[in-house]
Amino acid sequence: MDLKKVLQENIDHLSSIGNDPTGGMTRLLYSDSWLEAQKSVKETLEAIGMTASFDEIGNLFGRVEGTEHPEETILSGSHIDTVVNGGNLDGQFGVIAAYVAIQYLLETHGKPKRSLEVISMAEEEGSRFPTVFWGSKNFVGEAKKEDVIEIADFEGLKFVEEMQRHGFDFRDESKAARDDIKAFVEIHIEQGTVLEKEQLQIGVVNNIAGQRRYTIVLKGEANHAGTTPMGYRKDAVYAFAKICSQAIDRALEVGDPLVLTFGKVEPKPNTVNVVPGEVLFTMDCRHTDSGELHAFTQEIEQLMKDIAAQHGLEIDIDLWMDEAPVPMNEEIVTAIETAAKAENMKYKVMHSGAGHDSQIIAPNFPTAMIFVPSINGISHNPAEATDIDDLVNGVKVLASTLYELAYK
Amino acid sequence: MDLKKVLQENIDHLSSIGNDPTGGMTRLLYSDSWLEAQKSVKETLEAIGMTASFDEIGNLFGRVEGTEHPEETILSGSHIDTVVNGGNLDGQFGVIAAYVAIQYLLETHGKPKRSLEVISMAEEEGSRFPTVFWGSKNFVGEAKKEDVIEIADFEGLKFVEEMQRHGFDFRDESKAARDDIKAFVEIHIEQGTVLEKEQLQIGVVNNIAGQRRYTIVLKGEANHAGTTPMGYRKDAVYAFAKICSQAIDRALEVGDPLVLTFGKVEPKPNTVNVVPGEVLFTMDCRHTDSGELHAFTQEIEQLMKDIAAQHGLEIDIDLWMDEAPVPMNEEIVTAIETAAKAENMKYKVMHSGAGHDSQIIAPNFPTAMIFVPSINGISHNPAEATDIDDLVNGVKVLASTLYELAYK
């Protein structure tokens, strides 16, 4: 089997569904192109000898029964949805890699001892409706009807009606989640530049960083830039600048894996000749250790309050996202490392700074992730790309990992 | 003569012309309300015994001949136009105060030895057409036909047509400017909080600060806020924060009368979870000494370049406004101080951080300004206000100054 050829053909075919005339791919949950893509994956799964079926909400599964321990399932996959004008790897590469790896294993080694499954999850991106991880949360039994019953997309189309239009509906919340999953392995593009910069082929992900996101408003006094002496000012941008520079200086001292970003800055009135009376800004902080994340953000919250007080400004600090880090399963991480070594790959054990379905699944089932390099770290963009040889390397390591878990 | 009553009546009357239903006053150059206001001022000037006339472009003058030195003119006034939704003091208070002070002097002391004139200048604010100081620049013979011949307002109405519609036209550029002006005194609201904070009644303005305005663009690299380790970032907002905080720290060290403002900050893409790849920001720096202004801004330009280089960022620094400080005439400043003392006012000699007609007139004729307090420093806003007693104090000091210059 020509892995490279099969992989490329599958990517090309699936990318043609939801190809967006305004750029890249747009395949939003419960849209027509989304259903077409899931159905196309279902046909492919069946073509390579798997039984395929949807769950109630539209997650797609392909299954090969294990010959010795059919009640133990080794699962791989990712999500089928994209952001608006997204790339053709984020999500679907993890689905395609899973079934191409299993196709390769079936052709090379025959039936597995444990059952092998592919999952093509309904939704991860949160790009159409104000909900996220709808696929994985249903899979692990955490999604709640009440969270989506009222929501609609930007055009006013209701979540429930769009779901039901394709023949899907809410899962039975009284039914227990599956207990046969012994491992979940998700392969994904890195969406960063670490592997590329360090010239590595594989990332073995042992943790998904926790993140805390804040919106902060500093209130001072808008004044005439010419007639207000420095000593009479309450300059909100000056205070922001002190906070941002001192906080990032401190983050650099603390070092990896801590990251700190002040991504949005909106002064008022935002005019050349007025001392800014107010500034709204965001802070995004991530770390793989919950204690470190809390300690650092608390230190910075205090720094912000101190600087605001020194400048006579009011400050309002709103922590609106607080997600704990999710450690991956050590045994699965070891299995991936073993596979990477067996395939002679240059790899590193690393964390993911971005969120993934694996963070929902990991607390429920043994989980780990494989990263392949992203060219220039670009993602959520039509320019998202990975060298085909790197994609093949990823599939090889995934296949070798699944062999380790399902055939031994 | 009840100065307070006369002053209040004149302010109320003139403010009724151009009263804007959307707030405050809007009286733009060559609009109907602008002409109505100038005509109303002309009637008032005539009513108090002055001869009144327009120059070619629409500056209005009122004149009382001097009994001993009619060929020497002592001039006072300001501009009649406003910003959009402006207050009722910026500009017109200087016109009203001038003729009320002269009315008081005529009633109290009879005819002056030197000629006394009021000027109600056509335009200072630059709020309708992309030109500024049209009134004062014509008065001193510096306005050029070529600067306005092509311009139009936001609705596409042409400057020239709007000017001619009211019977005005270009001045004869071959004609020399007047040489009879021995003094120009402009009274104006402070538009700052110095007098208010220091509980003073009068500011004697000895300098109008020079200003340099810049737009700076820092270019780094937009990256994923989660997947990009701190060491791999080219964070434009972090570099901006260092520049802004270090530059303002330095401005505070240098001290008054230097002021430094970073009024506009616009990161790209300005999103919570993306490391900002670019930021555009403005810097506004003012000082009363040209050498100091140049030295300080050159130091900050170097600081910006150094910080950009340290962070591996590109930087583009555009200096788009560079106005030299304008010193006022020492003798006129002394005359105002003498007047303030004679009227028992608490005053300070200070500079103006804002621009005024006086900066155009001062290089041509001996000029100085009088400031009265602005409540909360507010200006260019319907909430612009000064206590009536402070306005009366200003008129008293102006009258006393004109007495000093025209009657002695």
Side-chain angles (χ1 to χ4, degrees):
Chain A
M1 169 177 178
D2 184 343
L3 261 186
K4 188 165 165 173
K5 186 164 167 281
V6 172
L7 187 60
Q8 188 67 64
E9 282 170 359
N10 274 280
I11 292 171
D12 291 346
H13 169 66
L14 200 50
S15 302
S16 70
I17 305 172
N19 198 8
D20 190 322
T22 70
M25 292 179 60
T26 303
R27 208 162 57 202
L28 304 179
L29 176 64
Y30 299 140
S31 65
D32 291 344
S33 62
W34 171 91
L35 183 66
E36 190 185 341
Q38 285 289 62
K39 284 186 170 167
S40 171
V41 173
K42 186 166 184 281
E43 281 172 22
T44 307
L45 294 174
E46 285 163 349
I48 65 180
M50 306 185 91
T51 55
S53 60
F54 286 101
D55 69 5
E56 297 100 315
I57 67 104
N59 286 319
L60 172 66
F61 296 85
R63 181 171 172 91
V64 183
E65 289 286 314
T67 52
E68 292 185 18
H69 308 286
E71 76 291 356
E72 295 183 4
T73 302
I74 308 301
L75 180 70
S76 183
S78 190
H79 60 95
I80 196 74
D81 69 315
T82 72
V83 297
V84 174
N85 301 121
N88 67 354
L89 295 172
D90 185 356
Q92 76 172 19
F93 170 62
V95 175
I96 295 169
Y99 67 67
V100 169
I102 290 171
Q103 181 182 6
Y104 169 81
L105 289 172
L106 294 174
E107 286 186 11
T108 313
H109 304 288
K111 296 261 179 188
K113 290 183 183 171
R114 291 176 192 79
S115 298
L116 271 171
E117 277 194 36
V118 172
I119 182 169
S120 177
M121 278 175 279
E123 188 274 336
E124 187 255 14
E125 298 285 5
S127 294
R128 180 177 183 186
F129 299 100
T131 186
V132 68
F133 296 126
W134 178 245
S136 52
K137 282 186 173 173
N138 270 285
F139 173 60
V140 302
E142 285 173 5
K144 294 271 173 275
K145 191 173 179 172
E146 65 195 49
D147 294 338
V148 297
I149 194 93
E150 300 287 358
I151 66 177
D153 67 9
F154 280 108
E155 293 174 4
L157 294 167
K158 288 192 177 167
F159 183 95
V160 176
E161 287 172 14
E162 283 294 285
M163 175 171 69
Q164 290 173 344
R165 163 169 93 88
H166 295 305
F168 299 114
D169 210 331
F170 293 106
R171 74 187 169 88
D172 178 356
E173 292 187 17
S174 67
K175 226 173 74 182
R178 289 171 61 169
D179 62 0
D180 61 315
I181 309 294
K182 299 304 167 197
F184 174 62
V185 183
E186 180 180 15
I187 188 166
H188 205 281
I189 55 169
E190 184 199 340
Q191 304 176 275
T193 57
V194 172
L195 296 176
E196 183 179 70
K197 282 202 196 321
E198 301 182 10
Q199 297 186 295
L200 301 172
Q201 295 155 311
I202 294 290
V204 181
V205 178
N206 67 347
N207 193 301
I208 296 178
Q211 47 184 297
R212 306 190 105 192
R213 291 188 188 172
Y214 295 81
T215 296
I216 298 110
V217 177
L218 280 168
K219 278 190 192 162
E221 220 170 74
N223 279 307
H224 190 297
T227 62
T228 315
M230 299 306 281
Y232 291 160
R233 297 182 176 204
K234 291 184 178 179
D235 181 340
V237 161
Y238 178 37
F240 161 75
K242 282 191 166 180
I243 288 167
C244 174
S245 59
Q246 289 179 31
I248 294 183
D249 286 348
R250 187 71 190 105
L252 288 163
E253 270 174 40
V254 171
D256 291 335
L258 179 73
V259 287
L260 184 67
T261 306
F262 294 83
K264 179 185 278 196
V265 190
E266 293 182 342
K268 278 186 190 169
N270 210 25
T271 306
V272 58
N273 59 348
V274 180
V275 181
E278 192 173 321
V279 62
L280 176 150
F281 63 97
T282 60
M283 184 173 86
D284 175 315
C285 187
R286 310 194 193 192
H287 199 290
T288 54
D289 181 88
S290 185
E292 299 278 346
L293 180 60
H294 280 244
F296 183 79
T297 50
Q298 273 163 22
E299 179 187 332
I300 301 304
E301 284 183 44
Q302 192 55 51
L303 173 77
M304 293 196 281
K305 286 176 193 162
D306 290 347
I307 289 175
Q310 283 158 22
H311 289 252
L313 306 184
E314 287 173 44
I315 187 166
D316 180 63
I317 302 174
D318 178 25
L319 171 65
W320 51 270
M321 183 196 281
D322 188 8
E323 286 181 3
V326 180
M328 303 286 100
N329 178 278
E330 281 181 26
E331 285 169 33
I332 314 287
V333 167
T334 302
I336 300 171
E337 276 195 83
T338 305
K341 282 175 196 157
E343 298 291 335
N344 280 316
M345 298 294 166
K346 284 184 264 176
Y347 75 93
K348 81 180 281 185
V349 177
M350 64 188 290
H351 73 275
S352 171
H356 292 290
D357 288 314
S358 286
Q359 75 196 61
I360 304 300
I361 298 174
N364 295 278
F365 308 117
T367 296
M369 292 187 76
I370 300 168
F371 275 170
V372 292
S374 289
I375 294 172
N376 295 322
I378 295 168
S379 183
H380 287 189
N381 186 300
E384 175 182 277
T386 297
D387 191 282
I388 183 67
D389 292 326
D390 282 327
L391 295 175
V392 170
N393 288 335
V395 174
K396 283 180 180 169
V397 172
L398 176 60
S400 186
T401 304
L402 297 179
Y403 182 79
E404 195 73 22
L405 296 167
Y407 283 82
K408 283 194 174 169
Chain B
M1 170 177 177
D2 185 343
L3 262 185
K4 188 165 168 174
K5 185 164 165 282
V6 172
L7 186 60
Q8 187 67 64
E9 280 170 0
N10 274 281
I11 293 172
D12 291 345
H13 168 67
L14 200 50
S15 302
S16 68
I17 305 172
N19 198 9
D20 191 322
T22 70
M25 291 179 60
T26 303
R27 208 161 57 201
L28 305 178
L29 176 63
Y30 300 141
S31 65
D32 292 344
S33 62
W34 171 90
L35 183 65
E36 190 185 341
Q38 285 290 60
K39 283 186 171 168
S40 170
V41 172
K42 186 165 183 281
E43 282 171 21
T44 307
L45 294 174
E46 286 162 349
I48 65 180
M50 306 184 91
T51 54
S53 60
F54 286 101
D55 69 5
E56 297 99 317
I57 68 102
N59 287 319
L60 173 66
F61 295 84
R63 181 172 172 90
V64 183
E65 288 288 313
T67 53
E68 292 184 16
H69 307 286
E71 77 290 356
E72 295 183 6
T73 302
I74 307 302
L75 181 69
S76 183
S78 190
H79 59 94
I80 197 75
D81 69 315
T82 71
V83 297
V84 174
N85 301 120
N88 67 354
L89 295 172
D90 185 355
Q92 75 172 17
F93 171 62
V95 175
I96 295 168
Y99 65 68
V100 170
I102 290 172
Q103 182 183 7
Y104 170 82
L105 289 172
L106 294 175
E107 286 185 12
T108 313
H109 303 287
K111 297 260 177 187
K113 289 182 183 172
R114 291 176 193 80
S115 298
L116 271 171
E117 276 194 37
V118 172
I119 182 168
S120 177
M121 277 175 277
E123 188 273 336
E124 187 254 16
E125 299 285 5
S127 294
R128 181 177 183 186
F129 299 100
T131 186
V132 69
F133 296 127
W134 178 244
S136 53
K137 283 186 172 172
N138 271 285
F139 173 59
V140 301
E142 285 173 5
K144 294 270 174 274
K145 192 173 178 173
E146 65 196 45
D147 293 339
V148 297
I149 193 94
E150 300 287 357
I151 65 177
D153 68 9
F154 281 107
E155 292 174 6
L157 294 168
K158 289 193 175 165
F159 183 95
V160 176
E161 286 171 17
E162 283 293 284
M163 176 171 69
Q164 291 172 343
R165 164 169 93 87
H166 296 304
F168 300 113
D169 211 329
F170 293 106
R171 72 186 170 90
D172 178 357
E173 292 186 17
S174 67
K175 226 173 75 183
R178 289 171 62 168
D179 61 1
D180 62 315
I181 309 293
K182 299 306 168 196
F184 174 62
V185 184
E186 181 180 14
I187 188 165
H188 205 281
I189 54 168
E190 184 199 340
Q191 304 177 277
T193 57
V194 172
L195 295 177
E196 182 180 71
K197 282 204 196 321
E198 302 183 10
Q199 297 186 298
L200 301 172
Q201 295 156 310
I202 295 291
V204 182
V205 178
N206 66 348
N207 193 303
I208 296 177
Q211 48 184 299
R212 305 191 105 191
R213 292 189 188 172
Y214 294 82
T215 296
I216 298 110
V217 177
L218 281 169
K219 278 190 190 161
E221 220 171 73
N223 280 307
H224 191 297
T227 62
T228 315
M230 299 306 281
Y232 291 159
R233 297 182 176 204
K234 291 183 179 178
D235 181 341
V237 161
Y238 177 37
F240 161 75
K242 282 192 167 182
I243 288 167
C244 173
S245 59
Q246 290 178 31
I248 294 184
D249 285 348
R250 188 68 191 107
L252 287 163
E253 269 174 41
V254 171
D256 292 334
L258 178 73
V259 287
L260 184 67
T261 307
F262 294 84
K264 179 185 278 196
V265 190
E266 293 182 343
K268 280 186 190 170
N270 210 25
T271 305
V272 58
N273 58 348
V274 179
V275 181
E278 192 174 319
V279 64
L280 175 151
F281 62 98
T282 60
M283 184 172 86
D284 175 314
C285 187
R286 310 194 192 191
H287 199 291
T288 54
D289 181 88
S290 185
E292 298 279 344
L293 179 61
H294 280 244
F296 184 78
T297 50
Q298 271 163 23
E299 179 187 334
I300 301 304
E301 283 184 45
Q302 193 54 52
L303 173 77
M304 293 196 282
K305 286 175 192 162
D306 291 347
I307 289 174
Q310 283 158 21
H311 289 253
L313 306 184
E314 286 173 45
I315 186 165
D316 180 62
I317 301 175
D318 177 25
L319 171 65
W320 51 270
M321 183 195 283
D322 188 8
E323 287 181 3
V326 180
M328 302 287 99
N329 178 277
E330 282 181 27
E331 285 169 34
I332 315 286
V333 167
T334 302
I336 300 171
E337 276 195 83
T338 305
K341 282 175 196 158
E343 299 290 334
N344 280 316
M345 298 295 165
K346 285 183 263 176
Y347 74 94
K348 82 181 279 186
V349 177
M350 64 188 290
H351 72 276
S352 172
H356 293 289
D357 287 314
S358 286
Q359 76 196 60
I360 305 300
I361 298 174
N364 297 278
F365 306 117
T367 296
M369 291 187 76
I370 300 168
F371 274 171
V372 292
S374 289
I375 295 172
N376 295 321
I378 296 168
S379 183
H380 287 189
N381 186 301
E384 175 182 278
T386 297
D387 191 283
I388 183 67
D389 292 327
D390 283 327
L391 295 176
V392 170
N393 289 335
V395 174
K396 284 181 180 168
V397 172
L398 176 61
S400 186
T401 304
L402 297 178
Y403 182 79
E404 195 73 21
L405 297 167
Y407 284 81
K408 283 192 174 170

